[in-house]
Amino acid sequence: MTQTVLAADFGGTHLRAAVVTSDGEVISRLDLATPEHAMPAEIVREVTSLLARAARDARPAPVAACIATAGLVNAEAGMVIFAPNIPGFRNVVLTTPLAAELGIPAFIENDASAAALGEFRFGAGRGSRNLVHATLGTGIGGGLVIEGRLYRGSQGLAGEIGHTIIDPSGPRCRCGSRGCIEAMASGVAFANRARILLDAGKSAVLHEIVGYRDPTGADLHRAAQLGDTLCEAEIRHGGHLLGLALGNLVNVLNPDTVTLSGGLLAMGDMLLQPMREAMDSLAYGPAAGTTVKLSTLGGDGGLLGAAAVAFEYMERR
Ligand SMILES: [Zn+2]
């Protein structure tokens, strides 16, 4: 029998909510600009009322709710410890008011971990048993599904692929360390590389595209597509480094599948081919054959991830 859950994706610019069926169908979507300057209590009220509205006409009625958010969460306590998108939103318990208002169990999960379970249940990871999911976007995140269950680690930090150190003397990462993969091959890192090329006057193509605004990773890719070999080398090098980070993880966890999502996938084979080569070059034995798949969930990855977490909780009660 089809069941439904309420899912929410607390993003940097938008708060999205929907009802999701156990077949992965997304219905009754609602969307709200992320409240930027509101007090935590006000944000909690807005989130709760958005989810209540999404639930109103859903049949069958949702059996649980889950919010996926960037940052550090304590899933057990239902608490957002730190959310980089929402200043001041620290140590806020979200699930208690939500469950009281909606009258169903409520859960919270880190968005990248939720995305991993979403791919596992509804997306490119279906049929997998051990899955590593990497989100390659402005930042780099990830999540782990081990023996068919989301693996959170002892403090909810499991899957923080972005802070795998690739070069201890590399650029400073926002976490404080040097040479994390996020500081070397994320959207922000590619934008920084583009800025360095521009400031050194090394890419006329890039300058033509960017003018005097701030460059992005997408600009670097566009310049590479137009034949700029330095820009292409930057992207290929970034892909190589991503492959080293993922390859190390594959050697530790021996997953059957690695799934990838995020805006950097638009760079296509220029990024992904050197990534795959580097992964395989350091893979231990048959791990060189680990399946790599691109996400099939598109923009719904966050919502379907949150839904997958809610379904997992309800099935294991
Ligand atoms: Zn870091």
Side-chain angles (χ1 to χ4, degrees):
M1 197 185 82
T2 306
Q3 281 193 320
T4 67
V5 293
L6 272 171
D9 181 14
F10 213 151
T13 57
H14 281 257
L15 172 63
R16 305 170 63 213
V19 172
V20 178
T21 72
S22 42
D23 303 324
E25 200 190 335
V26 181
I27 48 182
S28 322
R29 291 167 191 275
L30 291 174
D31 199 296
L32 187 79
T34 302
E36 264 180 63
H37 304 293
M39 300 295 286
E42 215 174 301
I43 297 174
V44 172
R45 264 198 306 280
E46 292 219 31
V47 173
T48 309
S49 90
L50 187 72
L51 280 169
R53 272 198 288 142
R56 200 170 294 155
D57 300 319
R59 294 289 174 275
V63 294
C66 180
I67 297 178
T69 177
L72 185 56
V73 307
N74 180 336
E76 233 167 90
M79 186 193 279
V80 180
I81 296 172
F82 163 71
N85 300 329
I86 317 157
F89 208 62
R90 283 173 182 265
N91 301 320
V92 178
V93 176
L94 257 181
T95 54
T96 311
L98 207 56
E101 173 70 25
L102 300 170
I104 52 178
F107 309 100
I108 185 167
E109 191 52 70
N110 165 269
D111 57 357
S113 285
L117 200 64
E119 291 296 337
F120 173 80
R121 190 175 189 111
F122 299 121
R126 263 180 302 176
S128 150
R129 189 160 64 103
N130 296 304
L131 173 114
V132 169
H133 179 66
T135 58
L136 312 177
T138 314
I140 292 178
L144 310 172
V145 177
I146 295 180
E147 303 299 347
R149 292 191 66 164
L150 182 59
Y151 180 75
R152 297 180 171 84
S154 51
Q155 291 166 307
L157 283 168
E160 284 288 345
I161 300 169
H163 304 288
T164 305
I165 292 173
I166 292 298
D167 177 1
S169 58
R172 185 76 71 184
C173 177
R174 66 187 168 92
C175 74
S177 297
R178 278 191 181 279
C180 294
I181 189 66
E182 179 167 295
M184 301 193 70
S186 62
V188 167
F190 284 126
N192 289 339
R193 298 305 300 171
R195 169 52 63 202
I196 289 167
L197 288 178
L198 283 172
D199 287 350
K202 283 188 174 165
S203 174
V205 180
L206 195 54
H207 184 69
E208 182 76 16
I209 294 169
V210 173
Y212 293 94
R213 63 173 167 83
D214 284 332
T216 65
D219 295 327
L220 188 72
H221 180 231
R222 184 80 194 112
Q225 282 179 315
L226 291 173
D228 188 301
T229 52
L230 278 179
C231 293
E232 178 170 348
E234 291 287 356
I235 290 170
R236 290 192 169 277
H237 183 60
H240 174 78
L241 298 177
L242 279 170
L244 295 183
L246 288 172
N248 276 305
L249 201 60
V250 164
N251 282 349
V252 173
L253 294 171
N254 190 206
D256 51 72
T257 308
V258 174
T259 53
L260 306 173
S261 66
L264 292 190
L265 297 186
M267 292 179 173
D269 278 345
M270 200 183 288
L271 183 81
L272 297 177
Q273 191 203 341
M275 188 200 83
R276 179 80 226 208
E277 282 169 14
M279 259 180 88
D280 286 349
S281 74
L282 58 79
Y284 187 75
T290 304
T291 305
V292 177
K293 288 184 176 173
L294 306 188
S295 169
T296 54
L297 303 181
D300 282 337
L303 286 173
L304 286 165
V309 172
F311 281 119
E312 181 177 83
Y313 274 115
M314 296 316 283
E315 285 160 7
R316 295 184 192 270
R317 294 205 130 202

